[in-house]
Amino acid sequence: MNKKAIVEIEELKEYLKKVEYLSSSISLLHWDSVVNMPKEAIEYRSEMIGYLTGESYKLTTSEKMKEFIDYFNGINDLDDLTKAIIENITKDYNNATKIPEAEYVQYEIDKALSQSAWEEAKKKKDFSIFKPHLAKIIAYNKKFSEYWGFAGNKYDGLLDIYEPGMTTERLDAVFGELRESLVYLLQRIKNSNVKTDDAFLKGNYSVESQRKLGETILGQIGYDYEKRGRIDISEHPFTTNFGNKDVRITTKYDTSDFRPAIFSMIHEGGHGIYEQNIPDELEGTSLGSGASMGMHESQSRFYENILGKSMEFWSYFYPKFQKTYQDLEGVDFISFYRAVNCVEPSLIRIDADELTYSLHIIIRYEMEKLLINSDIDIDDVPRLWNEKYKEYLGVEPENDADGVLQDVHWSGGDFGYFPTYALGNLYGAQIFNKLKEEIPDWNQKIYSGDFLSITKWLKENVHQYGATLKPTELIKKITGEELSAKYFIEYLNDKFGKLYGV
Amino acid sequence: MNKKAIVEIEELKEYLKKVEYLSSSISLLHWDSVVNMPKEAIEYRSEMIGYLTGESYKLTTSEKMKEFIDYFNGINDLDDLTKAIIENITKDYNNATKIPEAEYVQYEIDKALSQSAWEEAKKKKDFSIFKPHLAKIIAYNKKFSEYWGFAGNKYDGLLDIYEPGMTTERLDAVFGELRESLVYLLQRIKNSNVKTDDAFLKGNYSVESQRKLGETILGQIGYDYEKRGRIDISEHPFTTNFGNKDVRITTKYDTSDFRPAIFSMIHEGGHGIYEQNIPDELEGTSLGSGASMGMHESQSRFYENILGKSMEFWSYFYPKFQKTYQDLEGVDFISFYRAVNCVEPSLIRIDADELTYSLHIIIRYEMEKLLINSDIDIDDVPRLWNEKYKEYLGVEPENDADGVLQDVHWSGGDFGYFPTYALGNLYGAQIFNKLKEEIPDWNQKIYSGDFLSITKWLKENVHQYGATLKPTELIKKITGEELSAKYFIEYLNDKFGKLYGV
Ligand SMILES: [Zn+2]
Ligand SMILES: [Zn+2]
C-alpha cells in the first residue's frame, strides 16, 4: 500500500469510530429503556432513539462512505483486516442504499402497524387479523432481497443479513439431516420406558440466592460481571455491549423455579464472554463483535447446554445448589441431572428443551423459505404450521396464539433470523468436538470446576477473530471442515441416548 | 407574524428538538457512567460523550442556526415564547462562536491538565502545584468574558452563564447585606448559653430503611420516583433529566447517620419536582428546564431546608422515624429538631449547616470577583482565603486541602457558578415569604402532611414558566419585587434566634 492508502485507512477508522459511538449510544438508550426507564418516558425515549438511528443511517450511507468504498475497492494490496472492513461496510452501504428511501420509510410505518396487528391477533388468537400485514411484510422482504441482487432464491438475501454467506441450499442439507435424526431420536425416546419428571424442581428460590449462584457460575466460566459487565433484570433476557469493556447481560427471576434465571444467565453469559474477548484492536473497525448471529448463538448455547446441562458441570455445581436450597437435599444427583435434561415436545419454542428446540426452528425455517419464495398461499400458513408440529413434534396447537402467532419476529420483518438459533447448536457441537480433541481431559477439567481452560480455548479459537472472518470461513478455520450437522446429531444421540436408554 | 414566520418557527422547533435529543443522550451517558457503568469502560465512555458533545456543538453553532437567528431577529411581532427562544439560542450561539475554535480546544486540554493538577495538589495539600494551572484557567475565563462583550466588570460575563442577567453590582449589594447579618447572627449564637449537640443522632440506620423513609417523604412532597423518576446511588448526589417524564435523582447512604441520604434526597427531590413540573409545551424548545441555576437551587433548598428542616415538617415525620429507628424512641422531639438544625462553623462547604453555608459561598464569590478582575495576586489566594474564613466564620484551615483546594469547581473553569448556591437561598426565602401570604395556613398544612398544596403553589408560581422568563423577571413576577436579601435574613434570624434564644 502507498502512503495515501495508509492515511486513508486512518481516516476511515476515525469515521467508523463515530458510527460505533452512535450505535453504542443507541444500544445504551435501549438497554436503559428496558432495565431502568420510568414508564412514562417511553414516547420521548423512542424519539431519542429514532433521532440517533437516523444520524447513524446518514453516516453509513453518506457520500464520504461511498468515497471510502470506491477508493479502497480500487486498491489491490490491502491487508486482510482492511479488506474485511471494506467488505463489511460495502455490504452495509449497499443494503441500506439499494432500497429507495421512500420505500424504506413506508416499510418502517407498515412494520409498526404490523406489530400492533400481531399483538391484537395473538391476544384474540386469530391469524386472520395479522394475515394482510404478514403478506405486506413478506412482499417488502422479497423486494429488498431482489434489490440486494438475490435474483434466484430470494430467501438467500435474508439469510445473508444475519449469517453472511449462508444459503438455502446449504441449510436444506444440514437442517434436513438434523430434522430426520431428531424426529427419529424423539420417536425412540417416546417409545422408551424411561419416564422423566421435573415437577420436584419447583420450590422456593429467593432472587438473592439465584443471583448469587448465577454470579458464582458466571465468574467461574469467565464472564466478568463486575469490572467489565453487569447483571440486571428485564422481561426478556438479553446481552448488549458498548465496546468490549462494558458488556451487560440481563436475566429474569422466577422464585418458584431457579432454571429460567440460572440458564438464561449462563446463556447470556456465553454471549457476554464472546464480546468481552473481542481484541481491543478490532474495536471501532465495524468488525469488533461476533462473526454472525449463528456464531454468537453457538457460544451462548455451548455454555447453556453443552457445558451448562452436562453431567460434569452439575457434578461440580450441584452440591453448591444443595447447600443453598434445602429442598434439594433429598434429591439425588441423577434425578436432578435427568430433570434439567427432561425432554418433552411442546408447542412453544421458548419453553423447548435442548433436544426439541431445533425442530421448532426447522419448522420456522421451512415456512419462511416457502413464504419468501411464494411457494405457499398465505391462507395456508396456520394449517401448514400445525401439520409440521404434528409431524415433527407430535403436538398440535389448539389455537394460533400457541401456533403460528407465538413469535414476534415475522411481524417485525425479521425473516432469516430464526435459522441462526439452530445454526448455533450445529456450530457449537462442531466446535465442541474440536475442543475435545485438543483438550482431551476436558471433562476432568469441568468436573473440577476449571471452566476457564475451556473459555481460554474458545477465546483463542473463536472469539479473538471477531467478525474478521465470515462464519463459513471461521468454522473451517476452527474445525478444518465445513458446517456439518453430524456433530450435533452425535452429541444429542449420545447424551439423550444414555438418558433414555435408546 | 406572516405565514413564512409560522413555518419557520415549526422548522426551528424541529431543529431544537434534535439539539435536545443529543443533550438528553449525553445526560443519560453521564448518568449511567456514575450510576451503572463498569469501571473499565471509563475511557470508551468519555469518547462516546466527547463525540456526541461535538455533534451537539455543531448543531448549536451551525450555519442553519445562524440563519434562524438572523431571520427571527428581523421580525418585530414575535410572540413571547418565540422571542424567549430566540434570545436563548442567540446567547448560546454567541457564547460558543465568539471564542476562536483553536483557543477553545486548547482550553479543554488545559482544563484536563488543571483538574489532575488540582487532584494532586489537594492530595499533597499544596496550593503551589495547582497555582500555575489556576492562573491559566483564570486568564481563559477573563478572555472569554471579553469575547462575550463584557468589557467592564469581566466577572459579570461569567455570572451571566449560570444566572442570566445577574451582575456583580447586584451581588455585591445582596451578598454584602447577607454577610453582615450572618456574621452578626453567628456571633450572637456563639455567645449564647445554648450549646447544641447532634452526636446522639449517630446510630445504626440500614440502607433499606433510609430508602423507604426517603421514598415516603419524596412521594408526599410530590416527586414521582416511580412512573416519571428514579432514585439511585452515586458518590455525589445529583439530579438529571431527559425531558419532563424521566427525571432521576441520586443519593448516598451512610449507615451510621440518616441525614446525608434523607436530606440529599429531599434536596434533589426539589430539583426533580421542578423538572417534572415543566409543562409539555416547553419540551424541546430550549426553554424546558429551570430558569437558572440559582432558581433551581431555590427549589432544592426550599425543600431541603425551609420545609425539610422546619419544626412543622418534623412534627409530622418524626413519629415515623421513631417507629423505624428504636434508638430515636428515647429522643424527645425538641432535642431532635435542635440536632438537625445544629449550627457549627466549619471549614468544609459541603458539610456546612443551613446558617453558615452562605458564608462559604460569599467567600468564594469575593475571591472569584477579585481573581477575574485581576485585583489580587494569585500568590495571595490561600492567605486571603484563610483570612476570610477567620473573619466571617471564626475558623482557620490548617492546610490548603481544607481551605482553598477543597472544591473542584475552579480547576474545571466553573467561575461564576458558586454564587448560584447562595442565590438559591435568597430566592427560596423570598418566594417562601410570598407563599406564606397566599397560603396563610401553610404551617397547618405542613403539620398535617399536606405538602402537595405547597408544591402545587410552586408549580403554578415558579415551575410552570420553565426558562421562558429570566430569573430577574421571574422573581419579580412571583413576589412583585427585585431580588432581596431581606427575607432570607429575616427567616434565619427568626428561626435561629428562637433556637439559640438570641
Ligand atoms: Zn442468545
Ligand atoms: Zn442542588
Side-chain angles (χ1 to χ4, degrees):
Chain A
M1 276 184 293
N2 59 28
K3 264 191 195 160
K4 176 160 171 15
I6 290 162
V7 172
E8 284 282 329
I9 289 175
E10 285 315 304
E11 257 190 53
L12 171 63
K13 284 188 179 167
E14 281 308 306
Y15 192 86
L16 293 178
K17 266 191 193 171
K18 293 179 190 175
V19 178
E20 204 198 68
Y21 295 144
L22 273 177
S23 69
S24 293
S25 301
I26 294 165
S27 300
L28 178 66
L29 285 167
H30 176 259
W31 174 87
D32 180 82
S33 76
V34 294
V35 171
N36 289 320
M37 193 183 70
K39 246 189 186 167
E40 296 194 10
I42 180 73
E43 198 182 319
Y44 184 66
R45 180 59 56 92
S46 327
E47 290 173 27
M48 285 169 73
I49 290 176
Y51 172 67
L52 293 185
T53 305
E55 293 304 297
S56 166
Y57 179 84
K58 276 185 208 160
L59 284 187
T60 36
T61 60
S62 68
E63 255 318 300
K64 184 78 206 157
M65 189 63 106
K66 179 89 176 79
E67 282 167 25
F68 281 128
I69 290 170
D70 290 345
Y71 175 78
F72 285 107
N73 278 318
I75 294 181
N76 294 318
D77 59 341
L78 288 179
D79 60 287
D80 286 350
L81 177 62
T82 309
K83 215 185 286 174
I85 294 174
I86 301 306
E87 206 175 320
N88 194 38
I89 62 175
T90 304
K91 183 180 167 188
D92 285 350
Y93 179 85
N94 285 337
N95 280 1
T97 55
K98 284 192 175 165
I99 301 171
E101 203 176 325
E103 203 170 324
Y104 194 76
V105 169
Q106 191 56 45
Y107 177 55
E108 290 293 323
I109 295 165
D110 287 340
K111 266 204 308 195
L113 295 173
S114 158
Q115 277 169 312
S116 41
W118 169 76
E119 274 174 37
E120 195 197 334
K122 188 173 178 183
K123 211 190 277 169
K124 298 189 174 157
K125 306 178 181 183
D126 182 358
F127 178 72
S128 73
I129 297 169
F130 179 48
K131 196 177 70 175
H133 297 274
L134 178 61
K136 251 191 192 171
I137 299 295
I138 288 170
Y140 275 114
N141 275 275
K142 274 154 84 166
K143 235 174 155 187
F144 294 168
S145 187
E146 276 176 43
Y147 288 143
W148 297 331
F150 292 85
N153 193 320
K154 291 182 192 76
Y155 191 57
D156 285 356
L158 305 175
L159 287 174
D160 195 59
I161 304 172
Y162 306 102
E163 204 61 24
M166 187 50 62
T167 63
T168 312
E169 195 186 349
R170 187 108 203 86
L171 278 190
D172 278 346
V174 290
F175 282 179
E177 191 185 343
L178 178 60
R179 193 193 68 203
E180 268 181 43
S181 302
L182 287 181
V183 170
Y184 179 58
L185 175 57
L186 190 58
Q187 201 49 54
R188 283 178 296 153
I189 287 175
K190 276 186 196 163
N191 297 335
S192 79
N193 293 321
V194 183
K195 295 288 160 261
T196 50
D197 177 33
D198 62 351
F200 61 84
L201 285 184
K202 294 272 170 179
N204 202 345
Y205 306 94
S206 74
V207 168
E208 202 34 59
S209 65
Q210 294 186 55
R211 159 122 199 163
K212 262 195 195 149
L213 287 166
E215 284 182 355
T216 304
I217 295 172
L218 288 169
Q220 218 151 337
I221 64 177
Y223 168 70
D224 180 348
Y225 58 86
E226 283 181 321
K227 293 199 299 290
R228 299 172 70 188
R230 289 178 57 87
I231 307 165
D232 292 274
I233 298 172
S234 69
E235 184 57 29
H236 304 286
F238 70 109
T239 302
T240 194
N241 68 298
F242 329 115
N244 60 358
K245 294 180 186 66
D246 193 347
V247 182
R248 307 180 181 191
I249 69 169
T250 70
T251 188
K252 195 189 171 185
Y253 297 96
D254 175 350
T255 51
S256 74
D257 193 338
F258 67 86
R259 287 172 296 175
I262 293 295
F263 287 115
S264 71
M265 277 195 256
I266 303 175
H267 179 100
E268 302 307 331
H271 287 302
I273 288 167
Y274 200 165
E275 292 297 333
Q276 287 183 338
N277 278 343
I278 299 291
D280 288 348
E281 309 85 76
L282 294 182
E283 293 298 300
T285 64
S286 88
L287 303 172
S289 64
S292 68
M293 299 288 304
M295 200 50 81
H296 232 300
E297 208 61 14
S298 80
Q299 300 306 290
S300 56
R301 281 165 195 276
F302 169 81
Y303 282 100
E304 179 191 1
N305 293 326
I306 298 182
L307 180 77
K309 287 179 181 152
S310 70
M311 179 86 91
E312 293 86 351
F313 180 89
W314 283 108
S315 87
Y316 179 79
F317 275 115
Y318 189 51
K320 289 169 184 55
F321 273 62
Q322 284 184 308
K323 224 178 262 174
T324 307
Y325 303 120
Q326 301 203 323
D327 287 352
L328 292 178
E329 265 178 31
V331 178
D332 65 280
F333 175 69
I334 290 300
S335 306
F336 176 84
Y337 172 68
R338 284 184 172 285
V340 299
N341 284 294
C342 183
V343 172
E344 185 65 55
S346 68
L347 292 170
I348 306 298
R349 174 182 63 86
I350 58 166
D351 298 335
D353 55 72
E354 184 182 7
L355 193 156
T356 57
Y357 188 88
S358 301
L359 286 172
H360 291 263
I361 298 306
I362 289 171
I363 291 171
R364 284 154 181 77
Y365 164 69
E366 292 177 352
M367 300 287 299
E368 289 190 350
K369 197 178 59 170
L370 293 171
L371 284 165
I372 295 296
N373 288 318
S374 311
D375 294 332
I376 49 163
D377 194 292
I378 193 114
D379 287 311
D380 293 333
V381 165
R383 187 184 48 76
L384 197 60
W385 178 284
N386 295 354
E387 281 173 15
K388 284 179 186 289
Y389 264 81
K390 185 81 197 272
E391 187 185 345
Y392 305 160
L393 285 152
V395 293
E396 216 172 346
E398 287 186 4
N399 59 60
D400 296 338
D402 290 342
V404 69
L405 291 175
Q406 68 183 269
D407 294 307
V408 68
H409 301 56
W410 290 352
S411 74
D414 295 332
F415 288 88
Y417 187 126
F418 277 127
T420 66
Y421 294 131
L423 275 171
N425 287 331
L426 301 186
Y427 288 137
Q430 188 167 341
I431 292 168
F432 179 49
N433 184 66
K434 187 71 186 172
L435 182 152
K436 289 195 288 189
E437 274 174 42
E438 299 199 355
I439 309 182
D441 61 338
W442 63 273
N443 51 355
Q444 198 43 53
K445 287 202 187 321
I446 303 180
Y447 270 125
S448 65
D450 171 16
F451 310 111
L452 289 181
S453 309
I454 310 289
T455 296
K456 185 166 167 271
W457 189 94
L458 290 170
K459 177 178 183 174
E460 279 161 17
N461 288 276
V462 185
H463 309 161
Q464 68 143 321
Y465 296 106
T468 56
L469 298 173
K470 287 216 184 78
T472 42
E473 298 163 344
L474 183 56
I475 193 68
K476 204 156 177 198
K477 177 155 197 129
I478 303 166
T479 67
E481 282 180 79
E482 304 280 345
L483 169 70
S484 156
K486 186 179 144 203
Y487 302 101
F488 186 51
I489 294 169
E490 277 178 11
Y491 159 78
L492 290 178
N493 277 326
D494 180 54
K495 175 171 180 177
F496 291 96
K498 278 182 193 150
L499 271 160
Y500 287 88
V502 294
Chain B
M1 277 184 291
N2 60 27
K3 265 191 195 163
K4 174 157 170 23
I6 291 162
V7 172
E8 284 281 331
I9 288 175
E10 285 316 303
E11 256 191 53
L12 171 63
K13 283 186 179 167
E14 281 308 305
Y15 192 87
L16 293 178
K17 266 190 193 171
K18 294 180 191 176
V19 178
E20 206 199 67
Y21 294 144
L22 273 176
S23 71
S24 292
S25 301
I26 294 165
S27 299
L28 178 65
L29 285 166
H30 176 258
W31 175 87
D32 180 81
S33 76
V34 295
V35 171
N36 289 320
M37 194 184 69
K39 244 189 186 169
E40 296 195 10
I42 180 72
E43 199 181 319
Y44 183 67
R45 181 58 57 93
S46 328
E47 290 173 26
M48 286 170 73
I49 291 176
Y51 172 68
L52 292 185
T53 305
E55 293 304 297
S56 165
Y57 178 84
K58 276 185 208 160
L59 284 186
T60 35
T61 60
S62 68
E63 254 320 299
K64 184 77 208 158
M65 189 62 107
K66 179 90 175 78
E67 282 167 24
F68 281 128
I69 290 170
D70 289 345
Y71 175 78
F72 286 107
N73 278 318
I75 294 181
N76 294 318
D77 59 342
L78 288 178
D79 61 286
D80 286 351
L81 177 62
T82 310
K83 214 185 285 172
I85 294 174
I86 301 306
E87 207 175 319
N88 195 37
I89 62 176
T90 305
K91 184 180 166 187
D92 285 349
Y93 180 86
N94 285 336
N95 280 2
T97 55
K98 285 190 175 165
I99 301 171
E101 203 176 326
E103 202 169 327
Y104 195 76
V105 170
Q106 191 56 46
Y107 177 55
E108 290 294 322
I109 295 165
D110 287 341
K111 265 204 307 196
L113 296 173
S114 157
Q115 278 168 313
S116 42
W118 168 76
E119 274 174 37
E120 194 197 333
K122 189 174 178 183
K123 209 189 282 170
K124 298 190 176 157
K125 306 179 181 185
D126 181 0
F127 177 72
S128 72
I129 297 169
F130 179 47
K131 196 176 71 175
H133 297 272
L134 177 62
K136 251 191 191 172
I137 298 294
I138 289 170
Y140 275 114
N141 274 275
K142 275 155 82 166
K143 236 174 153 185
F144 294 169
S145 186
E146 275 176 45
Y147 288 142
W148 298 330
F150 293 85
N153 192 320
K154 290 182 193 75
Y155 191 58
D156 285 355
L158 305 176
L159 286 174
D160 195 59
I161 305 172
Y162 307 102
E163 204 63 24
M166 187 51 62
T167 63
T168 311
E169 195 185 350
R170 185 106 205 88
L171 279 190
D172 277 346
V174 288
F175 282 179
E177 193 185 341
L178 178 60
R179 193 192 69 204
E180 267 182 42
S181 301
L182 287 180
V183 170
Y184 180 58
L185 175 58
L186 190 58
Q187 201 49 54
R188 282 177 298 152
I189 287 175
K190 276 187 195 161
N191 296 335
S192 79
N193 293 321
V194 183
K195 294 287 159 262
T196 51
D197 177 32
D198 62 351
F200 61 83
L201 285 184
K202 294 272 170 181
N204 202 345
Y205 306 94
S206 75
V207 168
E208 202 36 56
S209 65
Q210 292 187 56
R211 160 120 199 167
K212 263 195 194 147
L213 287 166
E215 284 182 354
T216 304
I217 294 172
L218 288 170
Q220 218 151 338
I221 64 176
Y223 168 70
D224 180 347
Y225 59 86
E226 281 180 322
K227 292 198 299 290
R228 300 173 68 188
R230 288 179 58 87
I231 308 165
D232 293 274
I233 298 172
S234 69
E235 183 58 30
H236 304 287
F238 70 108
T239 302
T240 195
N241 68 299
F242 330 116
N244 61 359
K245 294 180 185 64
D246 193 348
V247 182
R248 307 181 181 191
I249 69 169
T250 70
T251 188
K252 196 189 171 185
Y253 298 96
D254 175 349
T255 51
S256 75
D257 192 338
F258 67 87
R259 288 172 295 177
I262 293 295
F263 288 115
S264 71
M265 278 196 255
I266 303 176
H267 179 99
E268 303 306 332
H271 286 303
I273 288 168
Y274 199 164
E275 292 296 333
Q276 287 183 337
N277 278 343
I278 298 290
D280 288 347
E281 309 86 76
L282 294 182
E283 291 300 299
T285 63
S286 88
L287 303 172
S289 65
S292 67
M293 299 289 303
M295 199 51 81
H296 233 300
E297 208 60 15
S298 81
Q299 300 306 290
S300 55
R301 282 167 194 275
F302 169 80
Y303 282 100
E304 179 191 1
N305 293 326
I306 298 183
L307 180 75
K309 287 180 181 153
S310 70
M311 178 86 90
E312 293 86 351
F313 180 89
W314 283 108
S315 87
Y316 178 79
F317 275 115
Y318 189 51
K320 289 170 185 52
F321 273 62
Q322 283 184 309
K323 225 178 261 175
T324 307
Y325 301 121
Q326 302 202 322
D327 287 354
L328 293 178
E329 265 178 29
V331 177
D332 65 280
F333 176 69
I334 290 302
S335 305
F336 176 85
Y337 172 68
R338 282 184 174 285
V340 299
N341 284 295
C342 183
V343 172
E344 184 66 55
S346 68
L347 292 169
I348 306 298
R349 175 182 63 86
I350 58 167
D351 298 334
D353 55 71
E354 184 183 4
L355 192 155
T356 58
Y357 188 89
S358 300
L359 287 172
H360 291 263
I361 298 306
I362 289 170
I363 290 170
R364 284 154 181 76
Y365 164 69
E366 292 176 353
M367 299 286 298
E368 288 190 350
K369 197 177 60 171
L370 293 170
L371 284 165
I372 295 295
N373 289 318
S374 310
D375 294 332
I376 49 164
D377 194 293
I378 193 110
D379 287 310
D380 293 333
V381 166
R383 187 184 49 76
L384 196 61
W385 177 283
N386 295 354
E387 281 173 13
K388 284 179 186 287
Y389 263 82
K390 184 83 198 269
E391 188 185 342
Y392 305 160
L393 285 152
V395 292
E396 218 172 345
E398 284 186 5
N399 58 61
D400 295 337
D402 290 344
V404 69
L405 292 174
Q406 68 184 269
D407 295 307
V408 68
H409 302 56
W410 291 352
S411 74
D414 295 332
F415 287 88
Y417 186 127
F418 277 127
T420 67
Y421 294 130
L423 275 172
N425 287 331
L426 301 186
Y427 289 136
Q430 189 167 341
I431 291 168
F432 179 50
N433 184 66
K434 187 71 187 176
L435 183 154
K436 288 195 288 188
E437 274 174 41
E438 299 197 358
I439 309 180
D441 61 339
W442 62 274
N443 51 355
Q444 198 44 51
K445 287 200 187 321
I446 303 180
Y447 269 126
S448 64
D450 172 14
F451 309 112
L452 289 182
S453 309
I454 309 289
T455 296
K456 185 166 168 273
W457 189 92
L458 290 170
K459 178 179 183 172
E460 279 162 17
N461 288 277
V462 185
H463 310 162
Q464 68 143 320
Y465 297 106
T468 56
L469 298 173
K470 287 215 183 80
T472 41
E473 297 162 344
L474 183 57
I475 193 69
K476 206 158 177 194
K477 176 154 197 131
I478 303 165
T479 67
E481 283 180 79
E482 305 279 344
L483 168 70
S484 156
K486 185 179 147 204
Y487 302 101
F488 187 51
I489 294 169
E490 276 177 12
Y491 160 79
L492 290 178
N493 276 328
D494 180 54
K495 175 172 181 176
F496 291 96
K498 279 182 192 148
L499 271 160
Y500 287 88
V502 295

